[in-house]
Amino acid sequence: MMPKQTLQHQLCDAAHYFHQKGWMLGTAGNLSAKDPQHGFWITASGQNKGELQPEQFLLLSLEGNVLQKPSPSLKPSAETSIHTAVYDLFPQAQACLHVHMLESNWICDRHPHNWIELPPLEMLKGFGWKAGSARILVTDNHDDVPKIAADLSAAYQEEQDFFWVPGFLIRNHGITTWGADISQARNRIELFSYIFSYMCGP
Amino acid sequence: MMPKQTLQHQLCDAAHYFHQKGWMLGTAGNLSAKDPQHGFWITASGQNKGELQPEQFLLLSLEGNVLQKPSPSLKPSAETSIHTAVYDLFPQAQACLHVHMLESNWICDRHPHNWIELPPLEMLKGFGWKAGSARILVTDNHDDVPKIAADLSAAYQEEQDFFWVPGFLIRNHGITTWGADISQARNRIELFSYIFSYMCGP
Amino acid sequence: MMPKQTLQHQLCDAAHYFHQKGWMLGTAGNLSAKDPQHGFWITASGQNKGELQPEQFLLLSLEGNVLQKPSPSLKPSAETSIHTAVYDLFPQAQACLHVHMLESNWICDRHPHNWIELPPLEMLKGFGWKAGSARILVTDNHDDVPKIAADLSAAYQEEQDFFWVPGFLIRNHGITTWGADISQARNRIELFSYIFSYMCGP
Amino acid sequence: MMPKQTLQHQLCDAAHYFHQKGWMLGTAGNLSAKDPQHGFWITASGQNKGELQPEQFLLLSLEGNVLQKPSPSLKPSAETSIHTAVYDLFPQAQACLHVHMLESNWICDRHPHNWIELPPLEMLKGFGWKAGSARILVTDNHDDVPKIAADLSAAYQEEQDFFWVPGFLIRNHGITTWGADISQARNRIELFSYIFSYMCGP
């Protein structure tokens, strides 16, 4: 077993891996995890994720206010409100990962609705799905990010006779997921990658 | 030459490599190898394969009963019966590898039968094929895994005038292969990857 | 934080990474950065970029004359005039990266004009774009490289009611970008990779 | 600069890299380099190329007879005669690399003749091409390998008003190239990869 790492180290490991996979190119995407005491740590804006360091995270309150920053020049990600919305909607979430995956854009382009039906791959069981219809939510890429949060909140509260996978798509933008810890959220990003790639076809 | 490694170390090496190739994303797939004394070692359920450690394997009897587990929380993979079926059908097999490859799903989608004809690539010779028709078996993704084993057993016992490659496909699921050792089984996973990718086209 | 590296070390890191991504295969492409005192350092001609070493750079004046070379056999890249053109047109540029990306050729083949409209992906914001039309310039692959520079200069000086992204394409050849430092230019190469790949489709 | 390595070490480096790129999967392909004294070193048959070690090479005479083998169980590659044919046809060649690339098979499938016209990419200049028509030779995958050598010899001796790139394709099989040293041959493999991938399209 590896020695236990800080949350920031674990998020850096995830960032380096996602960058190598092409899911965090340029300075795209942002990763967060709840602090055991209060609020959550999130990647600072504008960093290359392939070289992300533990010093490049800020501690924010669950409302998104800066509680601590390792250096004065760091600013929280412009997409912080995606994370606060996730922690608000899913109080059990301990980590939230938002990345830019080509396949997520391609499948949105093919589906005009605010949800996409997922194929019945064995892989879907990784989300806890067993049988029947499984869907992922899709929202528009509002410049006003709180509108994205409102879309999510409204959609998840509707009655449903299908399985919502734990993640959502923003058109022309990317995929966001969460988990009971960083490791689970990271596995979910991989599951989405596989399922979306399958849907795009060979 | 590298110092000789334990079976668990060799399987971890395979898992890390397959994960990096995108063949064991999320916590998908499972790997096993026969113990020189009795039974076989198999990956515990629910582990990320990119970070798999030698402590994350259980020793099972050839009937699938737990003989030894390094920590009480570990459970054998839900797909253990795929491995017991392989060791039952092919007593000479010393290792069995089951992974989730996008290409394996795509080629199943294009072929409705319970077998697929493989193209006469030079690569096929890696399976011992020389000339003539070569096929891979395809079964449905039964929730009741012993039904998969029954499908295999029935198909392999039929008379045949073609070459069965050493592996089989489960629809919407993945590819399973085996070998006289971990190294041979691993080479076979790579051969399948190449052949299926070729069949999917550019 | 990593200890501060020389420009040549930073360019080698970029070359190794681009090579691994398939953007500098064979001995393709060349990378440069302005020296703090005068002129710029550029990769020598004919080197494999996956194994590029800090000793394989020449110091040139901004007009492209050799000021310093670590070993007598090194010659400046044949495409040096692309770099001198960039430093001339964009005096604020401190680094210039030219790589050969399959996707850049494919999108040129689909677009006959001397510019390509880019899709409104969130990723485009990494270039400073906010809304409206965004374009990338395209020039022919003149053997006479100064003609490429003249094409660029003419195009950028025209009046425009759209956003030029900081980079240009040469047909059948590759993509060139620049930045306020090596890190920014490198992020831009990644952004182009993502956007062009998206445009090519799944 | 790195300390000078033996030919076997350099070929192992190439094998590990080609394997990681998917060009030497299973145990596919073989690599050789001329010994400074006599004959050439070639990979033994049946080795996984991702883990190839310097001890897994045999020294053969230019006619293909075994001069030296580090361990009695090693056998020369079944495709040794491709290498002897190359060294016979191109006496200046010091290294010969034969790999299995998906793209090489796909482009052969699209072209029925015994040559393929290559597109006028800037990348082609890496082969010494300047302008005009450039072609690569294609032969059938004869089980009788000396027939492949005869095909090559006949084709290269015909009069021609185009540029032959330094490599040839075997249908359903792979690409072979050579060079003045291992490094040049390796760059050429990369150039072919890029050009064939381009031809396959996005």
Side-chain angles (χ1 to χ4, degrees), chain C residues 177-194:
Chain C
T177 191
W178 51 87
D181 54 25
I182 293 169
S183 178
Q184 186 184 46
R186 201 171 148 165
N187 285 339
R188 286 173 171 177
I189 288 284
E190 293 187 10
L191 291 173
F192 282 121
S193 160
Y194 186 92

Side-chain angles (χ1 to χ4, degrees), chain A:
Chain A
M1 288 293 181
M2 319 248 289
K4 203 147 170 68
Q5 291 184 300
T6 67
L7 295 175
Q8 291 96 315
H9 277 97
Q10 290 178 54
L11 291 173
C12 283
D13 278 355
H16 300 168
Y17 171 63
F18 292 165
H19 181 266
Q20 179 252 319
K21 284 286 191 180
W23 302 336
M24 298 195 94
L25 295 181
T27 63
N30 29 78
L31 310 178
S32 76
K34 274 195 196 154
D35 186 80
Q37 306 220 282
H38 47 254
F40 61 96
W41 292 93
I42 190 166
T43 40
S45 186
Q47 313 297 324
N48 182 291
K49 299 306 186 298
E51 301 179 344
L52 197 69
Q53 300 293 321
E55 296 82 8
Q56 295 171 319
F57 287 81
L58 299 99
L59 181 64
L60 304 189
S61 71
L62 288 176
E63 295 74 38
N65 300 314
V66 177
L67 300 178
Q68 199 177 311
K69 50 180 170 176
S71 89
S73 64
L74 296 183
K75 277 185 282 189
S77 160
E79 295 166 318
T80 292
S81 46
I82 295 178
H83 295 253
T84 56
V86 164
Y87 292 129
D88 188 48
L89 283 164
F90 305 101
Q92 76 284 19
Q94 295 295 316
C96 176
L97 310 179
H98 165 68
V99 303
H100 292 199
M101 215 177 254
L102 285 166
E103 288 77 11
S104 68
N105 291 329
W106 286 325
I107 65 166
C108 286
D109 292 347
R110 293 180 180 184
H111 292 87
H113 300 301
N114 70 338
W115 52 268
I116 299 176
E117 184 77 27
L118 299 180
L121 293 175
E122 179 71 14
M123 272 294 197
L124 261 184
K125 294 187 184 164
F127 292 128
W129 170 86
K130 294 223 164 58
S133 175
R135 293 186 186 173
I136 187 165
L137 196 73
V138 182
T139 75
D140 283 332
N141 192 19
H142 302 297
D143 275 325
D144 179 19
V145 184
K147 278 185 87 167
I148 294 177
D151 279 8
L152 293 177
S153 180
Y156 285 131
Q157 278 159 21
E158 276 177 41
E159 255 188 69
Q160 67 200 55
D161 58 353
F162 53 84
F163 180 85
W164 276 130
V165 294
F168 59 88
L169 292 162
I170 308 175
R171 288 189 185 281
N172 288 326
H173 191 144
I175 169 83
T176 303
T177 191
W178 52 87
D181 54 25
I182 294 169
S183 177
Q184 187 184 45
R186 199 171 148 165
N187 284 340
R188 287 174 171 177
I189 288 283
E190 293 187 9
L191 291 173
F192 281 121
S193 160
Y194 186 90
I195 293 168
F196 298 162
S197 294
Y198 170 76
M199 292 168 75
C200 287

Side-chain angles (χ1 to χ4, degrees), chain D residues 18-75:
Chain D
F18 292 166
H19 180 266
Q20 178 252 320
K21 284 286 190 180
W23 302 335
M24 298 194 94
L25 294 182
T27 63
N30 30 77
L31 310 179
S32 75
K34 274 194 197 157
D35 186 80
Q37 306 221 282
H38 47 252
F40 62 97
W41 292 94
I42 191 167
T43 39
S45 187
Q47 313 297 324
N48 181 292
K49 299 307 187 296
E51 301 179 344
L52 197 69
Q53 300 293 321
E55 295 82 7
Q56 296 172 318
F57 287 81
L58 299 101
L59 181 65
L60 305 188
S61 72
L62 288 175
E63 296 74 38
N65 301 313
V66 177
L67 299 179
Q68 199 177 313
K69 48 178 171 177
S71 87
S73 66
L74 295 183
K75 277 184 282 188

Side-chain angles (χ1 to χ4, degrees), chain B residues 1-2 17 20-21 120-123 125 130 183 186-187 190-191 193-194 197-202, chain D residues 19-20 22 24-28 48 51 55-56 79 100-102 105-106 109-110 141 143 172-173 200:
Chain B
M1 287 293 181
M2 320 247 291
Y17 171 63
Q20 179 252 319
K21 284 286 192 181
L121 293 176
E122 178 71 16
M123 272 295 198
K125 293 186 184 166
K130 292 223 167 55
S183 177
R186 199 171 149 164
N187 285 340
E190 293 186 9
L191 291 173
S193 160
Y194 186 91
S197 295
Y198 170 76
M199 292 167 75
C200 287
Chain D
H19 180 266
Q20 178 252 320
M24 298 194 94
L25 294 182
T27 63
N48 181 292
E51 301 179 344
E55 295 82 7
Q56 296 172 318
E79 296 165 317
H100 292 200
M101 214 177 256
L102 286 166
N105 290 331
W106 286 325
D109 293 346
R110 294 181 180 182
N141 192 20
D143 275 325
N172 289 326
H173 191 145
C200 287

Side-chain angles (χ1 to χ4, degrees), chain C residues 32-35 39-40 62 83 85-97 177-182 184-185 188:
Chain C
S32 75
K34 274 194 197 156
D35 186 79
F40 62 97
L62 288 175
H83 295 252
V86 164
Y87 293 129
D88 188 48
L89 284 165
F90 306 100
Q92 77 283 17
Q94 295 295 317
C96 176
L97 310 179
T177 191
W178 51 87
D181 54 25
I182 293 169
Q184 186 184 46
R188 286 173 171 177

